[in-house]
Amino acid sequence: MTTKNQAEEKTNSLNFIESIIENDIKNNKNEKRVHTRFPPEPNGYLHIGHAKSICLNFGLAKRFGGKCNLRFDDTNPTKEEVEYVDSIMEDVRWLGFEWDGDVHYASDYFDQLYLWAEKMILDGKAYVDDQTSEQIASQKGTPTVPGKESPFRNRTPKENLELFRKMRAGEYKDGEKILRAKIDMASSNMHMRDPIMYRIIHKEHHRTGNKWCIYPMYDFTHGQSDYIEGITHSVCTLEFEVHRPLYNWYLDQLIDTEYRPQQIEFARLNLSYTVMSKRKLLELVQNKYVSGWDDPRMPTVSGMRRRGYTPEAIRDFADRIGVAKRDNVIDVSLLEFCVREDLNKKADRLMAVIDPIKLVIENYPEGKMEMVSVENNPEDESRGSREMPFGKEIFIERSDFMEDAPNKFFRLTIGKEVRLKGAYIIKAERVIKDAEGKITEIQCTYDPESRSGSGSEASKRKVKATIHWVEASQAVPIVVRQYDRLFNHEDPGGQEDDFKNYLNKESLKTLTHCLAEPAIKNLKKQDRVQFQRQGYFCVDLDSSNETIIFNRTVTLKDDWAKLSSKND
RNA sequence: UGACCUAUGGUGUAAUGGUAACACAUCUGAUUUUGGUUCAGACGUUCAAGGUUCGAAUCCUUGUAGGUCAACCA
């Protein structure tokens, strides 16, 4: 019912970009074509904000029966690397999208772009400027004060062409000359004050090698690249809004077809308790605050993948947050909700004790061992069940026992009963402590008639709680990495002081004395499971045959934790 | 003291001149061999002031608040 309504709502209510496209189709714009593109610069790893953009662009194409390109915006060889190209392609595919045709590169269009630059020179729309970047900046004015024209602004087309060709031929050093568009130094839009089209960079490019020593700027590249690829709707984030007049201006100078790509801007994603800027993420990596771009605490696609998030959950998240033009901060709990919802259906249950305490069942026969049957996923019967060994000595979670328990504590305490999931009902009789008073062992009795699924009266008895456990002799040691939010401030990047001051020092706890049931050995790297009553975990890449390492993807919702922390 | 953009519950997003709704979060309760899941319910919203209109979140005016723009970055 709910899902049906949601599905209906989805088809009926459009976001503002979908409305524009629907309207364009109605008006036969571009022969009703819809062609989008995802245009990352290969200078860093993709993060959840890019995932929003990817879902948007590929989603738009899918919804309107169009196409979506992947295009690398690689116009600056000083920042870009193949490593990033590869990781971006992997991430896009992992998220579940396939681009139309081959991968595109802005650098594929360098020849055409160069020709267009010469055309603009010939048309008197562009000129070579000999000034330093400082001089040019000083003439630029401010948003409220108009700029001054360059002394080189009125060179003849012939002279400009000659100089530009020399720039290309490598006759000048970096920064010695640049090519500028001749627009309006008094424009209220700073981007229209004779923007730079080409600069000299003597650096090998990851695709074009040493063919070029001049490289086009973003503004002189993006719209034309869209045009060349037949893009109809060029979706980007809000900070490019002021670039739109320039985007259109270049196209006006260079083409006169009816077809024209249209730039549309939307608000980028902000997530609470993390940072999203490439610069800040890079800083975390370079200064080793995290283990790398794919550290499970990072909001990067590779980090989330390693953490155990699913592409389905991320796509669902992107759907739920919507698309609009106002600044937003999405509560990270929505992302966590999407992950739990997906994993609840998919992840098999397993028992693992993170902080074990020994429990001995006094009246259980010495040396006896039996197998009990446990369902793999109560949400999905088809996942079947498995056998778990049970015996006289087991381990349970230290937090599942309390000597002086408050009323609201439903778990094990002296004189009270709990059920061991899939096995028997036990009653705590006494504890053994060490010299410091720390409990080292809990001694219990069990009700032999209460075995799960035996059908006996005793097996149907209601007890306050059911807890997880592992049999001592066959327990498998595992390592668990408990991840928490990387920052302890909702908006670490928006504060006056350094965002690193808000790093959560407890964002990673590595626990090395955990124990799991034998079935844990069947898991492969990256497999996702639910550790009963605790959370979702996945097998980390660092695992070996000797040591299985688990990353905590997300905890289960925990009303008891909420309750007990409130009483503190 | 410029141009452009934005303003709906705690957080997001709908409502396209006609009953302000959906999700997350929060809080109750029921169910439960996971204090999970599921189910039922509660809480709480149109930045302000004028105007147009039978009727305004929506249109107009004027404010206010927030954001973006002054890289040979994208």
Side-chain angles (χ1 to χ4, degrees):
Chain A
M1 186 67 172
T2 318
T3 38
K4 195 186 168 195
N5 285 344
Q6 278 172 351
E8 277 169 12
E9 211 173 291
K10 230 174 236 176
T11 51
N12 293 338
S13 115
L14 305 177
N15 66 46
F16 81 102
I17 299 178
E18 292 165 339
S19 300
I20 291 172
I21 295 179
E22 198 173 75
N23 206 43
D24 287 344
I25 291 174
K26 206 180 293 168
N27 296 328
N28 287 323
K29 188 173 169 185
N30 303 325
E31 291 99 36
K32 298 182 189 285
R33 281 192 312 112
V34 174
H35 201 156
T36 57
R37 100 269 92 112
F38 174 62
E41 182 188 14
N43 70 340
Y45 282 69
L46 259 28
H47 54 59
I48 181 82
H50 295 110
K52 174 184 180 179
S53 172
I54 290 167
C55 292
L56 212 208
N57 277 296
F58 283 92
L60 249 18
K62 188 175 179 201
R63 175 168 194 157
F64 293 99
K67 298 170 175 177
C68 183
N69 289 2
L70 173 64
R71 177 170 78 231
F72 287 99
D73 227 328
D74 55 351
T75 58
N76 186 352
T78 63
K79 292 188 173 177
E80 295 146 9
E81 291 172 31
V82 196
E83 176 198 352
Y84 297 124
V85 171
D86 295 339
S87 80
I88 288 168
M89 291 197 288
E90 183 189 1
D91 287 351
V92 172
R93 285 209 179 96
W94 179 77
L95 282 169
F97 299 103
E98 196 51 56
W99 46 88
D100 181 63
D102 293 334
V103 177
H104 297 261
Y105 297 83
S107 53
D108 293 343
Y109 315 133
F110 281 174
D111 287 305
Q112 175 63 254
L113 256 8
Y114 178 81
L115 257 25
W116 272 327
E118 285 206 347
K119 172 181 161 50
M120 282 185 52
I121 291 170
L122 261 10
D123 290 345
K125 302 273 178 51
Y127 63 97
V128 172
D129 198 327
D130 297 357
Q131 299 180 102
T132 64
S133 61
E134 292 75 24
Q135 286 171 311
I136 290 170
S138 73
Q139 291 161 1
K140 193 131 199 192
T142 70
T144 52
V145 179
K148 291 190 193 72
E149 296 188 350
S150 163
F152 300 96
R153 197 171 198 261
N154 293 314
R155 291 218 256 228
T156 63
K158 183 168 175 285
E159 189 184 356
N160 282 319
L161 192 61
E162 230 165 77
L163 291 167
F164 186 50
R165 287 181 174 170
K166 283 184 180 172
M167 279 169 65
R168 181 190 183 175
E171 294 189 21
Y172 306 111
K173 291 196 286 289
D174 287 10
E176 220 177 311
K177 288 192 166 34
I178 54 157
L179 184 71
R180 288 228 260 174
K182 196 170 177 178
I183 310 181
D184 177 9
M185 288 306 290
S187 171
S188 58
N189 184 337
M190 299 293 288
H191 297 280
M192 301 298 274
R193 322 243 264 224
D194 289 9
I196 291 166
M197 291 166 59
Y198 268 91
R199 74 288 212 194
I200 300 168
I201 302 174
H202 288 277
K203 173 123 201 266
E204 185 173 317
H205 184 278
H206 69 105
R207 296 207 32 116
T208 59
N210 291 310
K211 179 175 177 187
W212 299 91
C213 63
I214 56 171
Y215 292 91
M217 299 287 289
Y218 165 85
D219 286 303
F220 189 66
T221 306
H222 205 89
Q224 292 97 301
S225 300
D226 284 340
Y227 178 79
I228 292 168
E229 293 179 15
I231 301 303
T232 55
H233 301 271
S234 182
V235 178
C236 63
T237 48
L238 239 32
E239 64 269 29
F240 290 98
E241 207 153 20
V242 281
H243 292 244
R244 192 177 353 126
L246 184 53
Y247 178 104
N248 290 329
W249 188 87
Y250 281 131
L251 290 175
D252 286 342
Q253 312 312 309
L254 301 171
I255 63 167
D256 54 5
T257 54
E258 198 177 319
Y259 153 67
R260 177 65 64 92
Q262 177 189 4
Q263 177 179 309
I264 304 168
E265 310 86 11
F266 72 97
R268 66 176 337 136
L269 165 69
N270 295 293
L271 241 201
S272 62
Y273 296 99
T274 191
V275 292
M276 211 68 91
S277 91
K278 276 188 192 172
R279 200 209 89 227
K280 292 191 177 105
L281 293 174
L282 181 65
E283 203 177 328
L284 292 175
V285 172
Q286 285 180 337
N287 297 337
K288 307 263 197 261
Y289 290 99
V290 295
S291 63
W293 285 101
D294 68 344
D295 185 297
R297 293 165 292 182
M298 291 282 274
T300 50
V301 173
S302 50
M304 293 188 294
R305 175 167 59 232
R306 188 162 183 179
R307 174 104 173 224
Y309 286 19
T310 60
E312 291 83 0
I314 294 170
R315 279 188 259 132
D316 181 39
F317 173 72
D319 272 352
R320 286 170 185 266
I321 59 177
V323 178
K325 290 189 76 162
R326 63 171 146 162
D327 291 341
N328 60 82
V329 182
I330 309 284
D331 198 326
V332 70
S333 64
L334 179 62
L335 215 208
E336 293 172 345
F337 167 83
C338 294
V339 174
R340 285 191 192 104
E341 187 173 64
D342 191 38
L343 258 20
N344 180 45
K345 291 174 297 188
K346 291 180 182 162
D348 280 353
R349 275 57 169 169
L350 235 41
M351 292 202 214
V353 177
I354 309 269
D355 181 16
I357 182 166
K358 191 163 147 193
L359 186 152
V360 178
I361 302 166
E362 297 171 328
N363 59 339
Y364 193 85
E366 198 76 42
K368 181 180 170 183
M369 189 70 69
E370 64 186 301
M371 298 303 281
V372 299
S373 176
V374 192
E375 62 199 335
N376 284 327
N377 187 343
E379 303 297 314
D380 182 0
E381 221 174 288
S382 73
R383 297 301 303 169
S385 61
R386 68 184 185 285
E387 304 276 291
M388 272 180 81
F390 182 81
K392 189 180 178 73
E393 291 195 1
I394 63 172
F395 285 98
I396 67 165
E397 208 68 59
R398 186 169 285 274
S399 59
D400 281 342
F401 178 84
M402 257 181 118
E403 250 189 314
D404 302 305
N407 273 348
K408 296 270 189 181
F409 186 81
F410 302 153
R411 282 109 94 148
L412 195 61
T413 183
I414 303 288
K416 291 271 172 60
E417 289 185 324
V418 295
R419 172 171 292 281
L420 297 172
K421 172 85 181 171
Y424 297 91
I425 293 173
I426 54 167
K427 182 162 61 167
E429 304 291 350
R430 69 193 72 76
V431 295
I432 297 175
K433 296 181 183 176
D434 64 13
E436 279 97 54
K438 191 182 175 195
I439 300 172
T440 55
E441 184 180 315
I442 305 166
Q443 298 185 331
C444 294
T445 52
Y446 85 123
D447 177 353
E449 301 298 311
S450 65
R451 189 180 149 126
S452 285
S454 66
S456 66
E457 281 308 306
S459 74
K460 292 173 187 161
R461 280 168 51 211
K462 300 281 175 206
V463 289
K464 268 286 199 196
T466 299
I467 64 172
H468 61 277
W469 52 275
V470 294
E471 193 280 324
S473 69
Q474 295 187 49
V476 180
I478 59 170
V479 172
V480 170
R481 294 176 180 160
Q482 290 183 328
Y483 292 104
D484 199 354
R485 35 195 67 158
L486 231 198
F487 294 91
N488 49 31
H489 192 289
E490 239 186 68
D491 179 20
Q495 305 310 301
E496 298 225 326
D497 49 338
D498 194 308
F499 73 102
K500 296 193 293 308
N501 293 343
Y502 299 95
L503 277 163
N504 176 10
K505 299 204 168 52
E506 313 215 307
S507 61
L508 168 60
K509 282 186 204 156
T510 303
L511 299 151
T512 52
H513 294 98
C514 316
L515 296 169
E517 62 170 292
I520 205 95
K521 290 180 188 158
N522 301 331
L523 297 176
K524 300 184 301 291
K525 284 183 184 180
Q526 291 282 68
D527 277 355
R528 304 179 181 96
V529 291
Q530 182 196 104
F531 286 162
Q532 200 97 39
R533 300 207 303 135
Q534 307 196 81
Y536 297 97
F537 295 77
C538 73
V539 182
D540 188 75
L541 272 10
D542 290 344
S543 291
S544 63
N545 288 336
E546 297 75 49
T547 319
I548 314 178
I549 302 172
F550 285 88
N551 293 329
R552 184 171 73 191
T553 308
V554 64
T555 61
L556 253 31
K557 275 172 69 179
D558 189 348
D559 282 346
W560 166 245
K562 242 184 240 175
L563 227 181
S564 48
S565 69
K566 222 184 288 179
N567 292 338
D568 280 350

